[in-house]
Amino acid sequence: MNKQQLANKIWAAANKMRSKIDAIEYKDYILGLIFYKFLSDNEVNYLLKAGWREEDLVNLVEDYDDENAKLIIDYCKNNIGYFIAYDHLFSTWIKPDSDFNIGDLSVSLNSFDRLVSPNYKPVYDGIFKTLQAGLSKLGDSTASQTRAIKELIKLIKDIPTDGSQDYDVLGYVYEYLIGNFAASAGKKAGEFYTPHEVAILMSELVAENQRNKPQIEIYDPTSGSGSLLITIGKSVGRHIADKNKVKYYAQEQIENTYNLTRMNLVMRGIQPSNIYTRCADSLDEDWPLQQVGSEMNKPLYVDAVVSNPPYSQHWDPTDREMDARFKNYGVAPKSKADYAFLLHELHHLKPDGILTIVLPHGVLFRGGEEEQIRTNLIEKNNIDSIIGLPANIFFGTGIPTLIMVLKQHRENDDVLVIDASKCFVKDGKQNKLRACDIKKIADTVRDRATVKGFSRTVSRDEIRENGYNLNIPRYVDGNEETEHYDIYATVFGGIPNAEIDSLQCYWEAFPSLRADLFAPEADKPYSLLRTEEVRQTIENNVDVQSFNQQFANAFDGFTDAMHQRLIDNTMTVHELTALDEIATDIFKRVENIALVDKYAAYQALADNWQTIVNDIETLQQDGLNAAREVETAYKMVKKGEEEIEVPDGVKGRIIPFEFVQQAKFQAELTAIANMQQRIEVITSELDDLHDSFTEEETESYCESEKDNAFDKAAIKANAKPKADVEPETKAKLEKIVALWNEQTKTNKEIRTAKQQLIDKTVEAIENLSDEEVATFLHEKWIEPVCNGIDDTLRSVLATLETSVVALNKKYAVSYKQINDEFASTNKELAGLIDQLTGDERAIEGLKELIKE
């Protein structure tokens, strides 16, 4: 199920509950039931993998008088941490013969709480409290509550909970519900969901810093949905052989959201023994603390802290001056807790750890207590990097935000400032970081690179000179140059050589191209465009052709290398490692090619990577035969007020039908295309006949109440041989009927041919050889990446063409030319007026007018 299909499910579920509860509370029911479904499915799948059969599941009973039942209970609790009886399984609730009611849900939730293993209590204890407490709101009676919950369960039953999706299901549901219903509820979503792309960026920064550690502990003191922790864990996990060597610490003040944190961590396959969570105010009570040993109840220091705390939140700073977290830096003002969160997190960081925190820009320049804290952070050399993000990237606020990277100990004493405010693509109402933006930012942080208009390392002395003001525009000018107009060129024409010089990077790459495009004016610093065929001139230039060949040579063997890495070794590919290796390969190939943006080339890989990864995961899980399978295709259709998913034929599980058809059944495709083209011709001929009708024929053979469409009954009746109709009209009617008959016959043939083609395609997919599978995977995985990389070269030349054309257009019509044309027109008009006769005063007035 992709995100759009899941969104449709959520929308339908929410609509079912719209009249029963506040919109902001939808998520508590939907998320709670999704998680219960996960736990239920997880137990069933665990037992089936252990050798149980479906029919054995009825033996899951809570009967302490039955020794076998007791053994089963202990077996489940010891291995998965809990036990759910057969009657309480989600899959049992939705059986056709089930008499499930609201009371069963309440009993099931209570039973779960009671049957959690003691070792797993910290993770599961009270996790369904919000769902349990809200059941009474679903209706005025048991019957109405049961109807409501049944509708919800029916909609949720198909939502995936097995962790195989390429996105965070619970986090996405949470974001979707907050985004669609918080505003309509007239409330703020007190919890902040970190967009996936921002979480990916933060995770890349952390992963790079922690890549050589055998195990890692990460902490989020404002964990929200838990998605930020999950994303960080996944990224650092690619550098650790055993993913179970990552420990997660999460604290969240709001109980509903705290429960969501725990649900999300468990659903992503993290071992409960690696999950440490707490429902409390991180600023009010310091945590995490050491649980054992001589350091018990002292601060726990972790490898990485990540957070997206609520912006500029009020807090109580009373008597905090001697708090170990704040005493060496200062206490944040009560109206803005931003630095309180930051200092709390810094306090829990190991000497070699890294802290990444999302903050509003105000922390960079506000005065008072915040200036004092900022000064101390600079003087103690804690601030490593500041990354300005695009505006409107978070739901619920359009304000620009930043990521601040801090460390306890650093070798360098400067601050890297990055202005990434223009690194985004529009995605509906929101702005969104692209994969190439994320990689560019992460690489810049890693290399501490200075890039004009994007990043700069700033010395502490310069920051001191600026009064410890860290506002990004003071150090990085990310604004585009203001366009200016040359006065001489505006008046007399010509293109200023200075503006042609602004394209110097192209003239350095293509030394002979400037002379091909521009002709200098004698004794003037201006030029004229030699040709109107700018694109052709660029393409024919010898240096451009050499550049194209250099690009081709750089990527010689790239497709074969990709094929070998991803297709020849499909069963052993590691997603994140392979992505790093291919990205490194791309960067190496383009490093000596001027003008080509390596990050644009990387985006071509990123755009196609998730498709590749999804297929690889399927093949690794189910074997190569998965590429020889077909499955039911689905589409969304409107039914009443909701959209439902309905079957829509079949499709290749991995290999698209169109690939196979184009390779094996071109004759059949051509035949179908020819028939479809004939249908278009028939439609056109029918339109022509309709237009040829006289007024009388229109009245007799068209239906006025249906926009004058053909009256089929009348036409067919009067087209018969014995019908008494004018010969010319009869000929038209006979032609129309003949076209209709051909149209019907051809459409039937098209349907038959399409079905026969589908049958042939299914058979062909099911009998693909290993070599054919590899060929089609190459077409699906490798070719789009290579085509995208080639597009970066075309983009370079297209940008140059656009710039040259724009320069020429800018000064194409000069003021002098306009003036001369006006004078010429005025003179011509005067001559015409001189020829006029009539009222003397009128003519005198016209002559005076043209003098103006």
Side-chain angles (χ1 to χ4, degrees):
M1 182 180 291
N2 60 36
K3 285 187 176 181
Q4 184 56 53
Q5 292 167 330
L6 179 55
N8 290 328
K9 284 281 185 186
I10 301 164
W11 181 255
N15 274 332
K16 290 290 183 183
M17 305 178 73
R18 186 178 293 274
S19 62
K20 299 177 178 67
I21 56 173
D22 287 343
I24 199 64
E25 295 178 350
Y26 291 151
K27 68 181 190 307
D28 297 328
Y29 295 89
I30 294 171
L31 296 169
L33 284 170
I34 291 173
F35 184 62
Y36 190 86
K37 177 182 184 294
F38 162 78
L39 294 172
S40 179
D41 293 347
N42 182 58
E43 179 178 287
V44 170
N45 292 333
Y46 183 84
L47 294 173
L48 292 178
K49 287 180 181 178
W52 284 48
R53 298 169 299 175
E54 287 279 352
E55 53 267 31
D56 296 332
L57 296 176
V58 294
N59 294 318
L60 293 170
V61 293
E62 189 182 0
D63 182 355
Y64 296 101
D65 293 328
D66 184 333
E67 287 299 321
N68 189 52
K70 287 168 61 178
L71 288 173
I72 294 171
I73 293 172
D74 290 340
Y75 176 77
C76 289
K77 290 170 71 173
N78 291 335
N79 286 280
I80 61 173
Y82 58 87
F83 172 78
I84 300 176
Y86 175 78
D87 288 345
H88 300 155
L89 292 172
F90 190 96
S91 55
T92 303
W93 296 347
I94 60 176
K95 287 186 179 297
D97 58 348
S98 171
D99 58 355
F100 171 82
N101 62 58
I102 193 74
D104 294 327
L105 175 56
S106 184
V107 170
S108 297
L109 297 178
N110 285 329
S111 295
F112 177 82
D113 286 341
R114 187 164 38 77
L115 294 170
V116 169
S117 167
N119 294 333
Y120 290 75
K121 276 287 184 184
V123 176
Y124 291 121
D125 190 37
I127 203 165
F128 292 111
K129 181 179 178 180
T130 305
L131 175 60
Q132 179 80 295
L135 296 181
S136 61
K137 298 179 183 180
L138 294 176
D140 297 329
S141 64
T142 300
S144 60
Q145 292 169 8
T146 296
R147 281 194 299 272
I149 207 69
K150 275 188 171 181
E151 289 289 347
L152 202 52
I153 287 171
K154 181 180 177 182
L155 288 163
I156 286 173
K157 67 180 177 65
D158 295 323
I159 291 179
T161 58
D162 59 2
S164 62
Q165 280 57 47
D166 60 291
Y167 60 95
D168 163 14
V169 172
L170 270 191
Y172 177 75
V173 173
Y174 176 78
E175 181 182 25
Y176 180 87
L177 292 171
I178 289 294
N180 283 277
F181 303 126
S184 65
K187 302 175 182 178
K188 280 188 176 181
E191 315 87 353
F192 287 81
Y193 178 84
T194 307
H196 181 63
E197 292 73 28
V198 176
I200 288 289
L201 172 56
M202 296 172 78
S203 73
E204 290 299 308
L205 301 177
V206 172
E208 177 63 31
N209 179 264
Q210 299 291 310
R211 63 185 304 139
N212 296 318
K213 291 190 175 181
Q215 60 184 25
I216 184 173
E217 294 175 307
I218 54 180
Y219 169 46
D220 185 347
T222 58
S223 58
S225 72
S227 60
L228 180 54
L229 266 181
I230 290 166
T231 305
I232 303 290
K234 183 177 180 182
S235 287
V236 299
R238 74 175 183 258
H239 301 303
I240 299 175
D242 183 357
K243 69 176 183 179
N244 294 319
K245 293 295 185 181
V246 181
K247 290 186 177 182
Y248 300 80
Y249 294 84
Q251 181 155 273
E252 171 59 47
Q253 181 180 4
I254 300 171
E255 185 176 30
N256 297 359
T257 316
Y258 160 69
N259 290 335
L260 179 58
T261 291
R262 295 189 290 166
M263 292 177 188
N264 219 351
L265 291 168
V266 172
M267 277 188 68
R268 298 307 284 183
I270 298 166
Q271 288 185 350
S273 58
N274 284 333
I275 298 173
Y276 302 88
T277 60
R278 186 167 178 260
C279 183
D281 183 341
S282 292
L283 301 182
D284 188 48
E285 296 181 58
D286 192 14
W287 185 87
L289 303 174
Q290 294 283 3
Q291 298 298 311
V292 295
S294 60
E295 299 294 306
M296 186 172 165
N297 293 326
K298 290 187 177 180
L300 176 73
Y301 301 109
V302 298
D303 301 283
V305 186
V306 294
S307 75
N308 175 26
Y311 309 141
S312 302
Q313 178 175 281
H314 280 66
W315 76 300
D316 183 6
T318 306
D319 299 328
R320 298 290 184 179
E321 292 80 8
M322 296 310 294
D323 189 311
R325 296 171 292 176
F326 313 126
K327 68 178 183 179
N328 294 323
Y329 294 88
V331 180
K334 66 179 181 180
S335 61
K336 295 177 177 64
D338 303 306
Y339 273 117
F341 283 112
L342 183 152
L343 294 174
H344 166 81
E345 296 167 23
L346 186 63
H347 180 66
H348 286 278
L349 200 61
K350 289 180 180 178
D352 61 348
I354 183 172
L355 159 60
T356 61
I357 181 173
V358 181
L359 295 166
H361 277 247
V363 301
L364 300 178
F365 52 79
R366 292 192 296 241
E369 298 97 326
E370 291 187 302
E371 182 179 350
Q372 176 194 350
I373 295 170
R374 191 168 58 245
T375 299
N376 284 325
L377 287 168
I378 293 294
E379 291 301 337
K380 294 178 185 297
N381 201 29
N382 294 127
I383 300 178
D384 182 81
S385 307
I386 297 167
I387 304 162
L389 298 174
N392 201 34
I393 203 168
F394 287 86
F395 164 76
T397 176
I399 66 170
T401 52
L402 60 91
I403 295 173
M404 191 179 289
V405 182
L406 300 99
K407 298 175 182 177
Q408 284 285 12
H409 297 289
R410 301 193 303 138
E411 293 180 2
N412 51 294
D413 63 355
D414 53 20
V415 176
L416 175 67
V417 180
I418 298 176
D419 179 5
S421 59
K422 296 180 178 63
C423 296
F424 67 88
V425 64
K426 293 295 292 183
D427 184 18
K429 296 179 181 179
Q430 302 295 120
N431 293 331
K432 179 180 177 181
L433 290 168
R434 298 163 294 183
C436 62
D437 300 323
I438 293 169
K439 183 151 186 65
K440 180 179 180 180
I441 296 167
D443 287 353
T444 303
V445 172
R446 180 195 64 204
D447 300 334
R448 302 194 70 75
T450 292
V451 181
K452 183 179 180 182
F454 181 72
S455 66
R456 185 161 78 89
T457 52
V458 183
S459 70
R460 276 200 287 183
D461 285 341
E462 184 175 350
I463 294 172
R464 289 169 183 142
E465 290 171 7
N466 279 299
Y468 297 95
N469 187 318
L470 294 174
N471 202 18
I472 292 174
R474 282 180 177 258
Y475 305 103
V476 178
D477 183 7
N479 295 321
E480 296 178 0
E481 290 186 14
T482 304
E483 185 175 15
H484 68 277
Y485 283 78
D486 183 283
I487 295 176
Y488 180 90
T490 302
V491 174
F492 296 104
I495 302 171
N497 288 343
E499 294 191 35
I500 299 175
D501 291 344
S502 68
L503 302 174
Q504 186 61 27
C505 59
Y506 294 100
W507 314 138
E508 291 175 358
F510 315 127
S512 63
L513 181 58
R514 180 170 180 164
D516 287 354
L517 288 170
F518 297 100
E521 292 192 58
D523 302 323
K524 293 180 182 178
Y526 297 88
S527 298
L528 297 174
L529 192 65
R530 288 185 184 275
T531 175
E532 293 184 359
E533 302 297 329
V534 175
R535 178 181 302 179
Q536 187 173 347
T537 301
I538 292 173
E539 290 175 350
N540 292 340
N541 177 263
V542 62
D543 291 325
V544 170
Q545 292 178 350
S546 175
F547 179 78
N548 289 340
Q549 188 58 53
Q550 181 192 7
F551 186 89
N553 292 341
F555 281 93
D556 183 40
F558 178 72
T559 57
D560 292 339
M562 282 269 288
H563 187 104
Q564 181 181 15
R565 180 178 281 118
L566 298 178
I567 297 175
D568 292 347
N569 298 292
T570 298
M571 297 306 173
T572 57
V573 171
H574 183 275
E575 170 193 347
L576 295 175
T577 302
L579 179 61
D580 288 345
E581 291 173 350
I582 297 170
T584 300
D585 188 16
I586 292 173
F587 284 5
K588 185 176 180 180
R589 291 172 184 271
V590 301
E591 66 180 346
N592 294 319
I593 302 179
L595 304 176
V596 174
D597 181 359
K598 65 181 181 180
Y599 293 106
Y602 172 80
Q603 187 64 41
L605 172 64
D607 286 341
N608 296 282
W609 187 247
Q610 199 56 60
T611 296
I612 296 170
V613 168
N614 290 346
D615 287 349
I616 287 176
E617 287 179 350
T618 300
L619 292 168
Q620 289 180 346
Q621 180 176 332
D622 298 337
L624 190 61
N625 277 334
R628 300 185 178 94
E629 295 176 0
V630 296
E631 60 186 13
T632 303
Y634 291 91
K635 65 179 179 180
M636 303 304 297
V637 298
K638 195 82 172 175
K639 185 178 181 182
E641 293 185 357
E642 65 184 68
E643 285 190 339
I644 62 171
E645 198 174 50
V646 298
D648 184 34
V650 292
K651 64 182 181 68
R653 186 178 180 191
I654 288 180
I655 306 299
F657 272 25
E658 57 266 28
F659 288 5
V660 178
Q661 291 169 355
Q662 289 166 4
K664 292 176 172 285
F665 304 114
Q666 194 58 55
E668 288 85 346
L669 288 172
T670 301
I672 292 172
N674 289 338
M675 288 188 284
Q676 290 173 327
Q677 187 175 8
R678 178 55 191 159
I679 290 295
E680 292 176 6
V681 171
I682 291 172
T683 302
S684 178
E685 291 180 5
L686 287 169
D687 289 341
D688 291 343
L689 285 165
H690 187 282
D691 293 341
S692 73
F693 272 6
T694 64
E695 186 176 339
E696 183 179 345
E697 288 170 338
T698 299
E699 187 175 338
S700 299
Y701 301 110
C702 294
E703 300 182 81
S704 59
E705 66 275 10
K706 296 182 179 179
D707 296 327
N708 276 336
F710 283 136
D711 185 337
K712 289 194 173 184
I715 291 173
K716 288 182 177 180
N718 287 281
K720 292 179 180 178
K722 294 182 179 180
D724 185 15
V725 181
E726 290 291 329
E728 185 177 346
T729 300
K730 194 176 191 66
K732 290 181 183 179
L733 300 182
E734 289 174 344
K735 178 65 172 174
I736 291 171
V737 172
L739 288 171
W740 280 346
N741 291 337
E742 184 184 357
Q743 189 179 50
T744 300
K745 179 175 178 290
T746 306
N747 278 328
K748 184 178 180 181
E749 290 172 350
I750 289 173
R751 288 193 295 271
T752 300
K754 283 184 174 180
Q755 186 57 53
Q756 290 173 346
L757 178 57
I758 289 172
D759 295 340
K760 289 181 179 179
T761 306
V762 170
E763 182 180 2
I765 288 179
E766 291 175 343
N767 291 282
L768 290 174
S769 66
D770 289 356
E771 291 75 17
E772 288 174 320
V773 168
T775 297
F776 288 128
L777 289 179
H778 186 99
E779 184 178 355
K780 185 179 181 183
W781 297 354
I782 313 300
E783 289 183 13
V785 174
C786 295
N787 291 338
I789 291 173
D790 290 343
D791 283 343
T792 62
L793 173 64
R794 288 186 280 270
S795 178
V796 167
L797 302 180
T799 301
L800 172 59
E801 178 194 353
T802 300
S803 300
V804 170
V805 170
L807 267 182
N808 185 57
K809 185 178 180 181
K810 184 176 178 180
Y811 298 107
V813 182
S814 68
Y815 176 80
K816 184 177 183 302
Q817 182 181 349
I818 294 172
N819 215 33
D820 290 347
E821 289 179 358
F822 180 79
S824 175
T825 302
N826 215 30
K827 184 177 180 181
E828 184 180 347
L829 179 60
L832 292 172
I833 291 174
D834 285 342
Q835 299 174 31
L836 291 176
T837 59
D839 185 92
E840 292 183 7
R841 292 188 180 280
I843 293 173
E844 184 180 353
L846 289 172
K847 288 182 177 180
E848 184 64 27
L849 178 65
I850 63 172
K851 289 181 183 179
E852 299 295 327

